[in-house]
Amino acid sequence: PEHVTPAVDVLLREADAALEKVVAPDVPAEYNAMSAVLDVATERLGRAWGAVSHLNAVADTPALRAAYNENLPRVTDFHTRLGADERLYAKYKAVAASSAAAALAAPRRKALANALRDFVLSGAELRGDAKARFAAIQEHTAALEQQYREHVLDATDGFAHYAGSEDLAGVPADV
């Protein structure tokens, strides 16, 4: 648990830096160029956060729960900002509109189409108050999901059933 926040600090810093780099004019609106910059950082964050989430679900301790809950809003905020970033969305639209997009392998064309869809679903086309409200809903939803998971874990941990010999009638002895 004590390693979660320092690791998330580093990974979020790297992911934020990658986002700023990929939207800068230095990185062309080309699938491979953008992917090389952004996908590495976001994949590293996703893998690490996935491991923390998994541990939180299967090895719940007060310290791990606290570390997870401390960092969940930060990770949620990054992904919300990433999905709604108008600059990045514009670059992806430019990639899709380019002649090079048709030359992409089928899996990459599908990934590009999915990315464009995900930008729309993540609020990239929202403006002003609607965008802020969407971000607040995302954060609130993440917090509610975590509360629900905690209640399920607590209920599971709190449940016990002690079977007596009469409950085991007919069960083979080796079981």
Side-chain angles (χ1 to χ4, degrees):
E2 68 273 11
H3 298 290
V4 173
T5 297
V8 169
D9 288 344
V10 169
L11 294 168
L12 282 174
R13 229 178 359 261
E14 290 174 357
D16 277 326
L19 174 59
E20 290 308 313
K21 182 177 180 179
V22 81
V23 297
D26 301 357
V27 177
E30 296 173 356
Y31 186 89
N32 290 337
M34 292 171 56
S35 178
V37 173
L38 191 60
D39 291 352
V40 172
T42 56
E43 180 66 19
R44 287 186 71 213
L45 174 61
R47 283 180 183 261
W49 188 246
V52 171
S53 297
H54 177 73
L55 284 173
N56 188 53
V58 300
D60 183 45
T61 65
L64 184 57
R65 185 180 284 192
Y68 183 86
N69 286 331
E70 176 185 338
N71 289 285
L72 177 63
R74 299 168 61 215
V75 173
T76 302
D77 175 66
F78 171 76
H79 285 290
T80 300
R81 285 186 298 106
L82 179 73
D85 192 292
E86 295 170 24
R87 303 164 303 166
L88 185 60
Y89 182 39
K91 273 211 169 171
Y92 270 93
K93 287 194 292 188
V95 170
S98 72
S99 59
L104 290 173
R108 288 190 177 189
R109 281 195 315 272
K110 178 64 175 161
L112 179 58
N114 287 352
L116 291 170
R117 176 207 61 207
D118 292 347
F119 275 109
V120 173
L121 295 176
S122 296
E125 294 183 345
L126 296 174
R127 300 288 177 262
D129 291 343
K131 186 172 250 182
R133 184 170 187 272
F134 182 82
I137 290 170
Q138 289 292 95
E139 187 171 332
H140 184 67
T141 301
L144 290 175
E145 288 173 357
Q146 177 54 16
Q147 285 178 347
Y148 176 79
R149 282 188 214 105
E150 288 177 6
H151 292 313
V152 170
L153 283 171
D154 292 344
T156 301
D157 288 345
F159 177 78
H161 175 75
Y162 300 97
S165 56
E166 64 279 355
D167 295 324
L168 301 175
V171 176
D174 64 330
V175 174

